[in-house]
Amino acid sequence: MTFVACAPIGRTVRDCLRAMRLYVSPVFLRENPLAFLAILYVALCFGFAFLRHHDRLGHDRFWHDGRYTISPVLAPIWWVSLYASFSAISLHYWRQIRPTTTYLLVRLQRAEYHGVLAVGLISIFLLALPPLSTGAPTLNCFALEAIGLFLWSGPRPANRAEALRGVMTPLGMVRFIGFFFLLVPRMQNYLFSVPWYVAVVIIIACLGMALRLYRFRDYRLAPETPRDLLASAPETLSTPVERVASFILWRPSRLVRLPLADPVHTGSPIAVALLVVGSTLIFGCLAEFIA
């Protein structure tokens, strides 16, 4: 009886480990520009935290009247690293779980669900290190990360129309407002200064909602992959614009064309590079302005 009871548990653990292995493989990076953005900002975040940790004044410079105040430079970098990391994890998860064939593979559904939860939990502990190294309260730091996980754990849009409609939904509005609201260091300081029991309530509530958002859904009736952007563009599009668009959306022929939605054309290396560079410049300007 003991062997029979342990067999399903062992199989579940092995399936979960196989799903987690994909997050450290080229599969995770393929057509996932948010992963490159996460790598860049996590490296910046850890580098800045390392410099602040070895500062001559130490942790005392971040505490005033018994309250922790995060560095105005570290705050936006850390928050964008949370956004990029959790969004990259969610993008990979929903790319794995949304194909029609996944509906028939219950074991695959369970493995991917357990895998994304485990990777999300590991990411929370790793991404907490930069603010913790500057003396941030542990529970309050986890509360902020739990909010970020909740904001960016929902399903990814299947096409451009769904992405536009998603912005107008209640969850889409919460994501949009929450991102810019907590990008400001003063707003983060409010959460860093709340009592520990309030932080625990935030952690439990946000993690519970993330568990609900990550649950599997039936996508057998999901809309088909939209046509290419140039094919759906209006006929009045001028020739120079067509040439520029075709150059930006160029896709190497050796890449595998999976029958999945690609609303931001992540298979186009030039478009991905422009997206990463543009996002970095925008968030860098925002961080400089806030600082």
Side-chain angles (χ1 to χ4, degrees):
M1 291 295 293
T2 304
F3 175 78
V4 175
C6 293
I9 297 177
R11 184 177 62 184
T12 301
V13 172
R14 287 194 299 270
D15 292 343
C16 178
L17 292 176
R18 292 191 185 100
M20 292 175 61
R21 197 178 303 160
L22 295 178
Y23 290 89
V24 290
S25 68
V27 176
F28 178 71
L29 299 176
R30 187 178 302 140
E31 300 184 4
N32 192 347
L34 291 168
F36 296 98
L37 190 67
I39 293 172
L40 173 63
Y41 272 89
V42 169
L44 291 175
C45 191
F46 272 87
F48 182 81
F50 177 79
L51 295 177
R52 291 298 185 185
H53 180 70
H54 290 81
D55 195 285
R56 181 173 56 87
L57 298 178
H59 294 173
D60 295 337
R61 65 178 304 168
F62 299 105
W63 285 86
H64 305 281
D65 299 327
R67 295 178 180 272
Y68 173 81
T69 56
I70 191 170
S71 169
V73 178
L74 177 62
I77 297 176
W78 181 59
W79 186 247
V80 174
S81 67
L82 294 181
Y83 156 73
S85 301
F86 293 146
S87 296
I89 292 171
S90 297
L91 180 62
H92 172 79
Y93 170 73
W94 291 108
R95 185 175 57 188
Q96 293 288 107
I97 211 71
R98 287 191 77 149
T100 307
T101 53
T102 308
Y103 178 78
L104 304 175
L105 304 174
V106 179
R107 185 175 171 182
L108 176 61
Q109 300 171 23
R110 189 181 300 110
E112 292 293 342
Y113 182 72
H114 292 160
V116 73
L117 295 183
V119 172
L121 188 62
I122 294 173
S123 300
I124 286 178
F125 282 101
L126 290 179
L127 295 173
L129 294 179
L132 290 180
S133 66
T134 60
T138 304
L139 288 177
N140 299 67
C141 182
F142 287 155
L144 269 165
E145 291 189 286
I147 293 174
L149 182 63
F150 158 67
L151 290 178
W152 302 303
S153 60
R156 304 292 98 181
N159 49 54
R160 291 185 297 275
E162 185 177 333
L164 293 175
R165 289 194 302 267
V167 176
M168 304 307 297
T169 60
L171 180 58
M173 295 299 294
V174 169
R175 285 176 177 169
F176 182 79
I177 297 174
F179 173 78
F180 290 100
F181 185 78
L182 290 175
L183 188 65
V184 181
R186 180 175 296 180
M187 301 306 171
Q188 295 185 25
N189 289 332
Y190 288 144
L191 289 175
F192 276 121
S193 60
V194 299
W196 65 269
Y197 50 85
V198 176
V200 171
V201 171
I202 294 175
I203 292 172
I204 295 175
C206 290
L207 291 183
M209 289 185 287
L211 289 174
R212 179 177 176 82
L213 289 174
Y214 272 133
R215 75 183 190 279
F216 179 74
R217 294 172 175 83
D218 185 1
Y219 287 104
R220 288 177 297 174
L221 301 178
E224 296 181 357
T225 303
R227 296 181 180 180
D228 190 75
L229 179 62
L230 294 178
S232 60
E235 297 180 358
T236 58
L237 195 64
S238 60
T239 302
V241 176
E242 290 179 352
R243 292 176 179 175
V244 173
S246 61
F247 172 75
I248 294 176
L249 298 178
W250 170 77
R251 181 187 180 100
S253 59
R254 65 178 180 275
L255 290 182
V256 178
R257 296 181 180 270
L258 300 176
L260 301 175
D262 190 11
V264 293
H265 297 273
T266 52
S268 305
I270 299 176
V272 171
L274 291 177
L275 176 64
V276 173
V277 173
S279 301
T280 303
L281 293 176
I282 291 173
F283 289 125
C285 293
L286 284 175
E288 188 67 23
F289 174 76
I290 293 173

